[in-house]
């Protein structure tokens, strides 16, 4: 079955620490990949997306993600987190073999200590 | 503000009842998606409509149904409610046929079933 796995459910970091959140998917075919963020009490919003081209994608607020096709991964990174990055992060995938569904990972809750 | 509106913001009802959640997509978006977010299940895709037609179906229960009207707003109907249906229900919209494009999420409707 098609699935999206986020390895870390909870992450606690201090400000200025580096962040890497893992995301793996099990789709075949052409994939489109997304990272969404949900700040406390708010709706989901897009951080970044990959459709094609350069596998290193830069998003808003200093986030970036790298698509590694051979590893079926799309990990999210940020060199130096801030307290305001405290939020839940969702990886999402659509694929040519998945119809029109977007499958979300379970989410990773990030807490950044000031 | 994503441009997607959802009403009501909060809904409290009893088991066995029926409720209707409403969503207005961003201006110009033809696709509407419904998601359920709960603590134990995470973010689950329910159903997608494109220009009034059902496009994709996810983990939507038979007790739930949805439709998209000619003015493109959508309604999600939940019937014979159970305690486990308590969750945050998100609507999202996008501008193209497939969900390969970015989805814009509404603020959600928090449903509490007592």
């Amino acid at each position: 079955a098609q699935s999206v796995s986020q390895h870390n459910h909870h992450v606690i970091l201090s400000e200025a620490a580096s962040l890497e959140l893992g995301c793996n998917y099990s789709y075949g075919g052409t994939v489109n990949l997304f990272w969404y963020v949900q700040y406390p009490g708010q709706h989901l919003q897009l951080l970044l997306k990959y459709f094609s081209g350069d596998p290193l994608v830069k998003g808003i607020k200093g986030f970036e993600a790298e698509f590694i096709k051979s590893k079926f991964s799309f990990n999210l990174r940020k060199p130096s987190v801030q307290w305001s990055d405290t939020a839940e992060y969702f990886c999402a995938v659509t694929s040519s073999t998945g119809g029109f569904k977007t499958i979300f990972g379970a989410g990773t809750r990030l807490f950044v200590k000031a | 503000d994503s441009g997607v509106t959802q009403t009501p913001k909060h809904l409290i009802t009893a088991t066995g009842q029926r409720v209707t959640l409403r969503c207005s997509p961003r201006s110009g978006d033809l696709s509407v998606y419904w998601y359920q977010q709960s603590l134990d299940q995470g973010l689950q895709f329910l159903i997608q409509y494109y220009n009034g037609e059902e496009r994709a179906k996810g983990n939507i229960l038979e007790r739930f149904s949805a439709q998209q009207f000619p003015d493109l707003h959508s309604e999600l109907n939940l019937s014979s409610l159970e305690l486990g249906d308590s969750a945050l229900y998100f609507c999202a919209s996008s501008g193209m046929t497939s969900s390969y494009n970015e989805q814009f999420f509404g603020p959600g409707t928090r449903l509490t079933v007592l």
Side-chain angles (χ1 to χ4, degrees), chain A residues 48-89:
Chain A
L48 47 80
K49 59 188 176 186
Y50 172 80
F51 289 164
S52 63
D54 188 345
L56 186 61
V57 180
K58 294 198 184 296
I60 60 170
K61 305 187 181 187
F63 286 91
E64 64 178 33
E66 186 174 13
F67 170 51
I68 303 180
K69 190 174 181 179
S70 60
K71 294 186 178 180
F72 298 89
S73 71
F74 190 56
N75 292 355
L76 180 70
R77 299 195 292 250
K78 186 170 184 178
S80 175
V81 295
Q82 301 171 307
W83 176 81
S84 58
D85 293 325
T86 294
E88 189 159 15
Y89 294 81

Side-chain angles (χ1 to χ4, degrees), chain B residues 39-106:
Chain B
L39 282 174
D40 55 341
Q41 297 282 333
L43 192 63
Q44 298 281 320
F45 167 71
L46 295 178
I47 198 164
Q48 179 199 355
Y49 280 83
Y50 173 76
N51 203 21
E53 305 265 335
E54 183 184 303
R55 195 75 180 185
K57 219 166 185 174
N59 300 324
I60 188 165
L61 300 171
E62 283 191 18
R63 300 183 284 109
F64 296 1
S65 65
Q67 53 184 322
Q68 187 180 27
F69 295 87
D71 67 353
L72 301 177
H73 90 271
S74 178
E75 292 181 356
L76 179 67
N77 301 295
L78 315 175
S79 61
S80 304
L81 285 168
E82 301 174 1
L83 295 177
D85 297 327
S86 295
L88 199 51
Y89 291 84
F90 285 108
C91 166
S93 74
S94 70
M96 292 184 66
T97 309
S98 77
S99 62
Y100 290 6
N101 251 13
E102 171 187 356
Q103 293 178 37
F104 294 85
F105 283 79

Side-chain angles (χ1 to χ4, degrees), chain A residues 30 32 34 36 38 42-46 49 51 88 90 94-97 99-106 109, chain B residues 1-2 33 35 37 39 42-43 45 48 55-58 88 90 97-103 105-107:
Chain A
T30 304
N32 296 281
F34 307 83
Y36 286 85
Q38 186 177 25
Q42 296 188 27
H43 58 85
L44 278 80
Q45 49 191 291
L46 186 72
K49 59 188 176 186
F51 289 164
E88 189 159 15
F90 294 90
T94 63
S95 85
S96 57
T97 60
F100 296 102
K101 302 176 194 177
T102 298
I103 304 297
F104 281 79
R109 285 180 188 247
Chain B
D1 184 1
S2 66
Y33 312 78
Y35 294 88
Q37 186 180 35
L39 282 174
L43 192 63
F45 167 71
Q48 179 199 355
R55 195 75 180 185
K57 219 166 185 174
L88 199 51
F90 285 108
T97 309
S98 77
S99 62
Y100 290 6
N101 251 13
E102 171 187 356
Q103 293 178 37
F105 283 79

